[in-house]
Amino acid sequence: MEFSSERLVYKSFDMSHSSEGYKEILASKNVCKYFYLGEERGFTSDECVSVYGRVGGQWEKYGFGQWSVFEKESNKMIGYCGFRAKNKYIDENENVGNGNNDEENNDDGHSIFIEILYGIHEDYWGKKYATESVKSTLDYFIDNQLEEINNNNILGETITYITAAVHVDNHISKKILIKNGFVLQNNQTPPYCDPKYNDEYYILGI
């Protein structure tokens, strides 16, 4: 499965064309700066194999996921962008990850969320490929996949918004989200993240 935008081509995950691209992108400590790896580093080869399993597994289970992003000019995989289904976070004390745990203000009853994820090879930063990828994958998801997901109850809930979790210091990523219509949820942490993470929570109604 694939589609394209002005400068980029988006392909559903396949080991034959995506594994080496992911490995090269995620090896960068700069790309992984806000990934909570516990130290300043990129992904190891073993960690990349785990990523392949998660990304490929979601495509197989739900029929949507993270797209491998290729530059038209070079035909090189230069990033990834797309979606994953996330369950509400529950820690060992059965506390959910909804910020200040004020259910009236922070809990809308959802237990599963669609989160957008994206990353661009650092050699291609500054070309606004992330902004183009986010817009294009959002448009494709809303126009071509969302209705089937909701009508067939694929996730067990009706999806009415897309979410994003962004480290408070990742200002470039926050600008990309805001430019694409996402709105910061003040005083809330993402309900699917460990509250100890220093993430802000953005939502795009769909």
Side-chain angles (χ1 to χ4, degrees), residues 92-186:
E92 64 273 13
N93 297 313
E94 297 188 355
N95 295 313
V96 297
N98 62 354
N100 59 18
N101 288 327
D102 182 345
E103 292 191 13
E104 181 178 351
N105 292 327
N106 286 334
D107 193 341
D108 61 5
H110 285 287
S111 61
I112 194 164
F113 304 84
I114 299 296
E115 180 188 30
I116 189 167
L117 302 167
Y118 47 91
I120 299 295
H121 193 298
E122 63 181 315
D123 289 350
Y124 294 83
W125 288 0
K127 297 177 178 289
K128 298 186 177 180
Y129 282 161
T131 301
E132 182 175 340
S133 297
V134 169
K135 181 182 186 310
S136 299
T137 55
L138 278 169
D139 287 346
Y140 187 91
F141 181 80
I142 293 168
D143 293 342
N144 298 282
Q145 296 177 306
L146 179 63
E147 184 176 3
E148 180 179 357
I149 292 168
N150 284 338
N151 286 348
N152 294 325
N153 200 31
I154 289 174
L155 297 175
E157 297 183 15
T158 298
I159 302 303
T160 59
Y161 54 80
I162 305 293
T163 72
V166 186
H167 191 281
V168 66
D169 294 330
N170 194 348
H171 302 295
I172 292 176
S173 189
K174 290 190 286 188
K175 288 180 180 178
I176 291 170
L177 291 171
I178 292 169
K179 188 171 183 178
N180 280 283
F182 283 80
V183 177
L184 173 64
Q185 306 303 292
N186 290 317

